[in-house]
Every structure is written in C-alpha cells, then in structure tokens.
Amino acid sequence: MSNSFMDEALAEARSAGERGEVPIGAVVVLDGAIVGRGGNRTREKNDITAHAEIEAIRAASGRLGQERLTGADLYVTLEPCAMCAAAISFARIRRVYYGAEDPKGGGVDHGGRFYAQPTCHHAPDVYSGISEGEAAAILRQFFRERREDD
Ligand SMILES: [Zn+2]
C-alpha cells in the first residue's frame, strides 16, 4: 500500500524535527520494499544538499550499489524543491508520491516545474496530496514551536 510507505516517510520527517531539522522525510521503494530512507540533515551535516530526498536516494544507491534507481518509487512528505526534482530525474526514479504542496519552494508543481521543461530527460509520474494533512501539520507544528522559542 502506498500509504504505508508515506507513513514511513512521515516517521522520517518526525525524526528530522526531533533533531532540530526542518521535518521532511523520504523513502525510496523498489519491488515493494524500502531500500533507502532519509530525513533533512542540512544543519547536522552543514550541507545544504542534505535534503530528505537526496539522503534517501544516496542511501538507496549505496545499498544497491548502483548510480540509477530505475523502477524505484520515492515517497516524500513535501513537494520536492528544484534540486531534489532534478536529482530524482537523474536517478531515473519511476514515480514520486508527495504529501503537502510547497508553493514557496516547490519545483515540481510550482516554481520551475522541472519535469515540464524540455531539458528534463526523464520525468517521473507524480502523485500529490498523499497524507497531505499530516505532512503539513508536522511542518506547521515545527515552525510554531520554533517561533515560541524566539
Ligand atoms: Zn530538496
């Protein structure tokens, strides 16, 4: 079931929030099994590229010993940004399932709409709004708590 994989991505998002990172999580699924998971680690790693999707793709590629993830699906709690949208394309991921939309920073259905560009050579199928309410609530709560800390 696709929703159970999104539940795993949501768990990664919550873990990221507990580490003080923006709570976004992702998992990569191949042949019905999770082969990579990741949450935001940009602060921990001092690495602006350590978004949840990139972390999950790195984990999956490392585990499978392959550069491309042809046939794999990626579940992520927030619409991917332009960088992650491109990485997903380069990895030849088949389908992207995302939770909440990101009108301010998304690069799939907002902003540059990477997959709709002629320079995009592999566009995954995109399914949005998966567990959207829960994904958005985790982000809202995180930013509300941070404001209260100020
Ligand atoms: Zn990203």
Side-chain angles (χ1 to χ4, degrees):
M1 275 296 293
S2 52
N3 271 350
S4 67
F5 291 127
M6 186 57 86
D7 286 345
E8 295 293 324
L10 288 162
E12 289 295 326
R14 283 190 206 92
S15 298
E18 285 161 13
R19 295 192 301 270
E21 307 275 356
V22 175
I24 300 165
V27 296
V28 174
V29 174
L30 183 65
D31 297 331
I34 293 174
V35 293
R37 48 174 73 231
N40 262 352
R41 291 186 184 274
T42 59
R43 298 177 72 181
E44 173 191 325
K45 292 188 166 179
N46 290 320
D47 177 0
I48 209 64
T49 70
H51 284 189
E53 300 94 314
I54 305 284
E55 291 290 292
I57 287 169
R58 282 196 179 123
S61 286
R63 176 166 168 178
L64 299 171
Q66 57 191 54
E67 180 183 16
R68 289 180 176 167
L69 300 170
T70 307
D73 300 332
L74 183 138
Y75 293 74
V76 58
T77 57
L78 185 69
E79 178 183 348
C81 72
M83 173 182 73
C84 292
I88 288 164
S89 169
F90 298 160
R92 298 293 189 269
I93 282 172
R94 178 178 62 174
R95 297 187 188 118
V96 174
Y97 298 87
Y98 76 78
E101 293 200 330
D102 187 2
K104 290 182 183 168
V108 174
D109 291 317
H110 298 89
R113 293 180 167 81
F114 186 81
Y115 302 138
Q117 301 306 319
T119 50
C120 173
H121 305 299
H122 169 83
D125 296 328
V126 176
Y127 303 87
S128 60
I130 317 295
S131 301
E132 179 176 18
E134 194 173 351
I138 291 169
L139 281 159
R140 264 199 314 275
Q141 185 185 350
F142 177 80
F143 287 111
R144 189 166 54 230
E145 285 170 2
R146 294 217 348 186
R147 277 197 302 273
E148 284 165 5
D149 288 344
D150 288 343

